[in-house]
């Protein structure tokens, strides 16, 4: 058994790249309200990365898991100089892939994001039916980052959102998936847990329209 366990761990270490360890930044959300837009708006949240990561996908909350009514641009901005670091556009319909309550568009190649302060923002065109979660009563995030505030803005195109602390703890429309930074070797404990797994082989539905 020990021999097989070591083989499984070695296989994971050799055969799986950083993206294989990808997971969502926001891992669970509870409470809050579902909101749509009364004008062309920006929804998002600020966060601090505690370590370097590789962003592998950007996504949008899909409350009914049935796809998006309209296109949404999503981007991550660096707070210090408001520079756009990485972005994509999630198309209407069932493009991309669903993971939990979020629908993601995978990046063609992973984007390296260093430790620091950022905000993730999505566009919300006026009056669309893609309801997003605001003012959550609770949430959990990956240990690599800390959510610091909600952000809000008015724009028809992707832009840095300067309205800070709006609908805290966050306007959880956008989300992202990430893996280990390029060249990072997973800790032995991580590999061991993955090897053991191999061997063992509601949010509130109140809708609001924001004016």
């Amino acid at each position: 058994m020990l021999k097989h366990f070591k083989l499984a761990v070695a296989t994971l270490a050799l055969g799986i790249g950083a993206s294989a360890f990808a997971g969502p930044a926001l891992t669970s959300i509870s409470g809050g309200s579902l909101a749509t837009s009364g004008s062309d708006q920006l929804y998002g949240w600020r966060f601090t990365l505690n370590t370097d990561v590789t962003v592998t996908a950007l996504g949008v909350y899909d409350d009914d898991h049935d796809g998006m009514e309209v296109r949404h641009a999503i981007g991550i901005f660096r707070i210090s100089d408001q520079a756009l670091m990485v972005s994509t556009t999630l198309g209407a319909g069932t493009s991309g892939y669903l993971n939990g309550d979020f629908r993601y568009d995978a990046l063609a190649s992973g984007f390296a994001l260093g430790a620091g302060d950022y905000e993730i923002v999505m566009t919300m065109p006026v009056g669309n039916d893609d309801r997003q979660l605001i003012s959550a009563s609770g949430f959990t995030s990956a240990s690599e980052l800390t959510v610091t505030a909600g952000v809000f803005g008015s724009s028809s195109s992707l832009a840095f959102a300067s309205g800070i602390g709006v609908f805290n703890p966050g306007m959880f429309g956008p989300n992202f998936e990430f893996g280990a930074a390029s060249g990072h070797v997973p800790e032995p404990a991580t590999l061991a847990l993955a090897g053991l797994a191999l061997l063992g082989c509601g949010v509130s539905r109140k809708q609001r329209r924001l004016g």
Side-chain angles (χ1 to χ4, degrees):
M1 176 66 78
L2 181 58
K3 180 168 117 181
H4 293 305
F5 173 76
K6 288 180 178 177
L7 178 61
V9 171
T11 301
L12 284 169
L14 294 173
I16 302 179
S19 62
F21 291 90
L26 291 172
T27 55
S28 69
I29 312 171
S30 60
S33 301
L34 291 172
T36 187
S37 52
S39 60
D40 290 328
Q41 298 171 344
L42 302 170
Y43 289 10
W45 43 280
R46 289 190 168 190
F47 61 96
T48 298
L49 271 180
N50 309 313
T51 186
D52 298 350
V53 301
T54 299
V55 178
T56 57
L58 299 172
V60 170
Y61 188 75
D62 184 356
D63 68 304
D64 291 326
H65 298 181
D66 60 354
M68 316 311 296
E69 183 193 41
V70 299
R71 298 171 57 193
H72 298 275
I74 315 126
I76 295 178
F77 292 82
R78 186 169 54 207
I79 292 176
S80 60
D81 58 0
Q82 302 183 7
L84 178 62
M85 308 303 293
V86 60
S87 65
T88 190
T89 298
L90 180 67
T94 56
S95 62
Y97 62 94
L98 192 66
N99 184 3
D101 291 327
F102 291 86
R103 185 169 297 277
Y104 293 93
D105 182 51
L107 302 178
S109 58
F111 183 86
L113 205 61
D117 298 320
Y118 301 92
E119 70 175 36
I120 181 169
V121 178
M122 64 176 284
T123 55
M124 273 290 282
V126 56
N128 73 86
D129 286 335
D130 294 334
R131 300 172 298 175
Q132 305 303 311
L133 189 65
I134 66 172
S135 305
S137 58
F139 69 93
T140 57
S141 62
S143 60
E144 290 84 354
L145 62 102
T146 302
V147 177
T148 56
V151 294
F152 178 79
S154 296
S155 178
S156 59
S157 58
L158 190 63
F160 185 83
S162 56
I164 305 169
V166 181
F167 302 107
N168 272 341
M171 302 192 77
F172 294 139
N175 200 359
F176 67 97
E177 291 188 330
F178 67 94
S182 178
H184 173 74
V185 178
E187 296 295 329
T190 302
L191 291 175
L193 288 172
L196 284 172
L198 282 179
L199 291 175
C201 306
V203 294
S204 169
R205 294 292 173 177
K206 298 180 293 181
Q207 181 176 349
R208 298 175 57 185
R209 181 176 294 275
L210 303 182

